[in-house]
Amino acid sequence: MVQAQTSASATTLGAASPSDQSTPGDTRWETVNRVVYPLRDADQTMPLYAVNWHPAHFDPSVFDERDNLYSANPNGMTRSELARLIAQGRCATSEEPHGFTVDSRNTITLTAGTHLSLCTYFNAFPAGYWRYWTRVKSVRFSAWTAGKGTVTVFRSTARGLAAPVRSFSIDTKHGDGDPQRVEVMLSLKGMLDGGFYWFDARADEDASLTVGDAIWQVPSHDRRTPNPGTVSVAITTFNRPSYCLDQLRSIAGESELRARLDTVYCTDQGTDLVRDQDGFATTASDLGEQLTYVRQANLGGSGGFSRGMFETVKAGRSDYTLLLDDDAISEPESILRAVQFADYTARPVLVGGGMFHIDHRTVLHVQGERFDPRSMWMYPSRGAEFNHDFRSEPLADSPSLHGVKFSDFNGWWFCLIPTETMRAIGLGLPAFIKFDDIEYGVRAKKHGFPTVSLPGVAVWHMGWHDKDPARSWEEYFQVRNRWVCALLHYPNAGRAAAFRMLYEEANLGLRMLYSGMALSQMALVDVLKGPAYLVDSLPTKLGEVRKARAGFADSTTFASPLELPEPGDHAEREWAPQSARDVTKRGMKAVLAALRSRVDGSKDEAPQVAIPARFSIWPSFLGVSSAMVTSADGDSVAWFRRGSRLYRRNMRVCFGLARKLARSWKRLSREYRDYGVASVDTWERIFKDAERQ
């Protein structure tokens, strides 16, 4: 319905987020999603909030999935036809949104003739997720409007098909007369498999249109918890004080979030302290008792996050702990959405958020992940993908994103965990870094606390493309923690794990990463030492790992390539794409060739080839005796030298360790599970021991 309302009362409607509102039927409604717009970096992020309207692209498979049973024949297509097809795919959807002004965090004004859609990542209401995970059966949309134009509410299905639900004709004068309030009740019926609600706005050709305080509300009697939940935010930092301070400022500036906030546990493990930064005192004063600053020894990300979890459990005031990376840029509305969604889920769940690339702000790296027990590795949720760009493929043109996706875990760049979950299953794995988030999600799921990675909830974070753990000390922790995670949850996976250990070791050797092979072997040795060693070595292991990695050719870096002899050639991509099976076969042949090789790159007077970081995967190293390889961060180079004898020795050592682990797998699995490595009591002892050192 369309109702007249005074400007003051219309503003009150949008501002009443945590409080309930009564209706004639005595149903009280709680605002759980506010339509928001970016006030900074809008040129980089606007396609995540609002896009130009365009007809949605047609995908035949949304009507009949059998269309996906049959492959196309690219060999029957000419080069020019392929180029034309690709060009057609890059149509006007990549055009930047224009023709409107962001008046405030919650208000936009469309210029005459502008037609915008809010079918976007941050502003489409994820109705399917609310239907699947909560008891909510209906939702209410409302907003105030002024000017002339049309506001239309749309609904999509899990197939990605969209249809209008209700259209409102707006005809008022800006600044002269009352704005119009639009409101509609919407059912979640038929949305178990997915679907979104959103609105589009169109200004008349001769007038502008303003839409403000658009909100999505649900009946408060459907809330699982008796009262709105409170949250503590756990942030851990190590020598990233300016990033961490920005995160604190962002939280401090959100009044609606702070109404739900108990405290922020800022665990500072560095030497360049957050509290010493200009502006910290002001932010700390603003937050007051809602900031708890903790200093502790460097126990890694798992130690910092677990400290926040530990303090939350001990304090007993908060219903949830939000784990939030210090260097992430958060959309503050996401935190509130996660807390409110968790209040309404039919049973306690972990609420995760997506990760957008900080250097390409419209690209979603991932929205929820699964853990494959066959490979002991992570993959996107089924039906999802890595690195989806909403600038070129808006939500309306991405039917696969309209279905509900299921996750085994969520990265700890953003993950909301119920306090009752932590009491029931403990805290993070004392892993220092790597796999603590994966292990926790798998553990929680096995205890009846699934992870829901909710669309519209996300942060921006540095992606992994400029990182390569295999070329750093992180390789040790990735290998060790991966197999500890497997031991904890897959007691019959010994043989499969042994094969993967050898597979990964062979890959390192093909890339001439002999420091990585050394750290991998060190990790396997330490896994065999059992759970007590994992816990006791947490404060000191990083120093040992750094020392063990020193002295290898691949770990000796140079600030400039000009410090080394000129390489004989510069590598480019020289391999043709193949099926996964054929790539595996090619890799196995390369391993056998490397095991028979007698090449010794230490005798080379100059690198045979220069390999940029992006091409430093194993096919680039085939037939190469030595190479100058750029670091993943692009700031140094190393002169890799092939050592065939060392490769054979390392593979023999790895084979022995993998065989020993496979034979001891069930016993070790039982020991790790019985020890309670992630219990509250274990972490309390870790924290006390660290204080004494």
Side-chain angles (χ1 to χ4, degrees):
M1 58 183 173
V2 181
Q3 299 177 348
Q5 190 168 347
T6 67
S7 179
S9 61
T11 302
T12 302
L13 169 68
S17 54
S19 62
D20 296 333
Q21 301 168 28
S22 297
T23 63
D26 287 332
T27 298
R28 297 181 67 83
W29 296 84
E30 182 178 359
T31 302
V32 292
N33 270 61
R34 296 145 200 79
V35 173
V36 294
Y37 306 98
L39 296 181
R40 63 177 186 177
D41 301 331
D43 56 329
Q44 301 178 58
T45 63
M46 189 58 75
L48 303 177
Y49 297 86
V51 296
N52 296 326
W53 180 89
H54 64 276
H57 293 165
F58 175 70
D59 181 350
S61 68
V62 301
F63 291 124
D64 191 343
E65 186 62 29
R66 286 173 293 186
D67 273 4
N68 285 330
L69 288 175
Y70 305 101
S71 63
N73 179 17
N75 291 328
M77 185 180 298
T78 67
R79 278 188 173 183
S80 60
E81 288 171 337
L82 177 61
R84 191 181 310 117
L85 180 65
I86 294 172
Q88 290 171 351
R90 297 172 180 161
C91 64
T93 59
S94 61
E95 184 182 352
E96 291 301 312
H98 64 277
F100 70 94
T101 301
V102 174
D103 303 318
S104 72
R105 178 78 164 138
N106 304 98
T107 308
I108 58 169
T109 296
L110 288 69
T111 58
T114 300
H115 192 177
L116 290 180
S117 175
L118 279 295
C119 183
T120 57
Y121 180 84
F122 280 122
N123 282 330
F125 180 74
Y129 285 77
W130 279 84
R131 174 66 181 90
Y132 189 97
W133 291 105
T134 76
R135 299 186 182 96
V136 173
K137 299 296 188 294
S138 61
V139 61
R140 182 169 75 173
F141 168 76
S142 64
W144 66 260
T145 62
K148 294 178 64 178
T150 305
V151 171
T152 304
V153 177
F154 282 83
R155 163 182 168 143
S156 71
T157 68
R159 297 174 183 268
L161 295 170
V165 177
R166 185 70 182 273
S167 188
F168 303 92
S169 180
I170 313 301
D171 189 359
T172 71
K173 292 182 179 180
H174 280 290
D176 182 18
D178 297 334
Q180 284 183 289
R181 178 184 174 210
V182 297
E183 180 181 294
V184 61
M185 303 284 291
L186 304 162
S187 172
L188 301 186
K189 184 178 176 61
M191 305 186 82
L192 269 175
D193 284 341
F196 288 88
Y197 278 114
W198 68 90
F199 75 90
D200 289 357
R202 184 171 193 168
D204 281 0
E205 293 297 329
D206 59 349
S208 61
L209 174 65
T210 298
V211 182
D213 291 338
I215 54 176
W216 302 91
Q217 299 176 307
V218 298
S220 60
H221 61 68
D222 289 331
R223 191 170 53 225
R224 172 177 52 85
T225 58
N227 299 302
T230 57
V231 61
S232 288
V233 178
I235 301 174
T236 182
T237 187
F238 178 80
N239 291 347
R240 288 173 174 164
S242 61
Y243 291 99
C244 189
L245 182 56
D246 284 344
Q247 194 71 275
L248 296 177
R249 285 174 177 149
S250 177
I251 294 171
E254 293 293 321
S255 58
E256 291 175 344
L257 169 61
R258 291 184 63 177
R260 295 292 193 95
L261 179 65
D262 175 28
T263 190
V264 180
Y265 291 107
C266 178
T267 303
D268 197 337
Q269 304 184 121
T271 54
D272 187 3
L273 302 182
V274 180
R275 68 186 180 194
D276 295 337
Q277 301 300 300
D278 291 339
F280 174 79
T282 301
T283 302
S285 176
D286 186 0
L287 286 168
E289 293 183 356
Q290 289 183 311
L291 174 63
T292 303
Y293 187 84
V294 179
R295 280 283 293 122
Q296 74 175 24
N298 183 19
L299 302 177
S302 68
F305 282 133
S306 290
R307 183 61 182 265
M309 298 163 76
F310 174 83
E311 296 294 343
T312 301
V313 171
K314 288 295 185 182
R317 298 188 302 268
S318 298
D319 298 291
Y320 311 101
T321 296
L322 173 66
L323 307 184
L324 185 64
D325 253 345
D326 60 339
D327 59 343
I329 299 176
S330 59
E331 164 53 74
E333 177 70 15
S334 292
I335 302 176
L336 200 53
R337 288 177 182 177
V339 173
Q340 293 180 299
F341 180 79
D343 282 350
Y344 281 86
T345 55
R347 51 177 167 157
V349 302
L350 285 67
V351 182
M355 190 196 97
F356 283 93
H357 286 282
I358 207 166
D359 51 3
H360 200 142
R361 302 283 289 277
T362 58
V363 177
L364 179 67
H365 169 63
V366 72
Q367 180 82 49
E369 295 175 85
R370 59 189 173 93
F371 186 65
D372 184 358
R374 294 169 298 180
S375 63
M376 305 296 176
W377 202 248
M378 71 291 294
Y379 300 91
S381 297
R382 296 189 186 280
E385 60 181 347
F386 283 126
N387 300 319
H388 181 94
D389 188 358
F390 284 99
R391 186 184 299 274
S392 58
E393 296 181 88
L395 183 60
D397 298 325
S398 306
S400 64
L401 297 185
H402 288 245
V404 173
K405 303 294 187 293
F406 300 93
S407 305
D408 292 330
F409 71 96
N410 201 95
W412 279 2
W413 49 75
F414 185 112
C415 188
L416 185 82
I417 304 174
T419 303
E420 60 192 290
T421 302
M422 295 182 287
R423 290 196 183 106
I425 73 171
L427 312 181
L429 190 71
F432 196 82
I433 60 168
K434 303 293 183 183
F435 270 81
D436 47 347
D437 48 4
I438 298 173
E439 190 280 328
Y440 198 88
V442 174
R443 189 192 336 157
K445 184 177 180 180
K446 288 191 173 184
H447 284 80
F449 302 101
T451 295
V452 181
S453 296
L454 186 65
V457 173
V459 298
W460 288 272
H461 191 276
M462 183 61 68
W464 319 135
H465 49 277
D466 286 335
K467 298 180 180 180
D468 186 353
R471 296 183 59 185
S472 76
W473 53 267
E474 295 182 11
E475 175 68 9
Y476 166 86
F477 293 101
Q478 180 158 282
V479 172
R480 186 198 65 178
N481 301 340
R482 178 184 184 183
W483 301 121
V484 168
C485 176
L487 283 164
L488 285 167
H489 300 291
Y490 305 101
N492 299 313
R495 289 187 178 180
F499 172 79
R500 297 300 303 188
M501 292 171 193
L502 289 166
Y503 179 90
E504 304 294 343
E505 190 82 347
N507 183 284
L508 291 172
L510 289 181
R511 297 171 61 194
M512 297 186 273
L513 287 170
Y514 302 117
S515 69
M517 296 182 85
L519 294 186
S520 175
Q521 293 164 22
M522 182 180 182
L524 298 182
V525 169
D526 287 354
V527 170
L528 285 163
K529 292 178 181 178
Y533 183 79
L534 174 73
V535 173
D536 294 342
S537 66
L538 178 61
T540 59
K541 201 65 198 180
L542 176 59
E544 297 174 24
V545 171
R546 288 183 182 275
K547 185 177 180 180
R549 184 174 178 267
F552 289 88
D554 61 273
S555 66
T556 303
T557 59
F558 302 85
S560 170
L562 301 182
E563 296 180 40
L564 297 175
E566 183 68 18
D569 198 1
H570 291 265
E572 283 291 339
R573 185 187 296 113
E574 294 181 351
W575 55 84
Q578 297 174 301
S579 68
R581 177 177 295 182
D582 287 341
V583 170
T584 300
K585 287 180 179 179
R586 186 184 181 200
M588 295 302 294
K589 290 179 180 178
V591 171
L592 292 175
L595 290 172
R596 293 194 300 263
S597 174
R598 295 294 184 268
V599 175
D600 182 3
S602 66
K603 300 177 182 179
D604 287 7
E605 296 181 357
Q608 182 180 344
V609 65
I611 300 177
R614 64 176 298 192
F615 293 144
S616 61
I617 58 177
W618 65 265
S620 295
F621 293 88
L622 297 181
V624 175
S625 61
S626 71
M628 183 176 72
V629 187
T630 311
S631 62
D633 63 6
D635 206 38
S636 63
V637 296
W639 188 352
F640 290 18
R641 297 172 181 267
R642 188 170 302 283
S644 298
R645 182 178 298 177
L646 178 59
Y647 182 62
R648 284 189 292 273
R649 185 187 71 80
N650 283 341
M651 291 304 298
R652 284 195 299 269
V653 171
C654 185
F655 178 79
L657 290 170
R659 187 180 181 189
K660 188 174 183 180
L661 268 165
R663 288 178 172 177
S664 308
W665 192 269
K666 290 188 176 181
R667 173 184 60 80
L668 282 169
S669 177
R670 185 171 56 254
E671 290 178 4
Y672 275 94
R673 283 182 280 120
D674 292 346
Y675 189 86
V677 290
S679 69
V680 173
D681 291 342
T682 296
W683 273 108
E684 187 169 27
R685 176 166 64 85
I686 291 172
F687 295 139
K688 288 181 178 179
D689 289 347
E691 289 176 1
R692 287 193 290 266
Q693 291 179 0

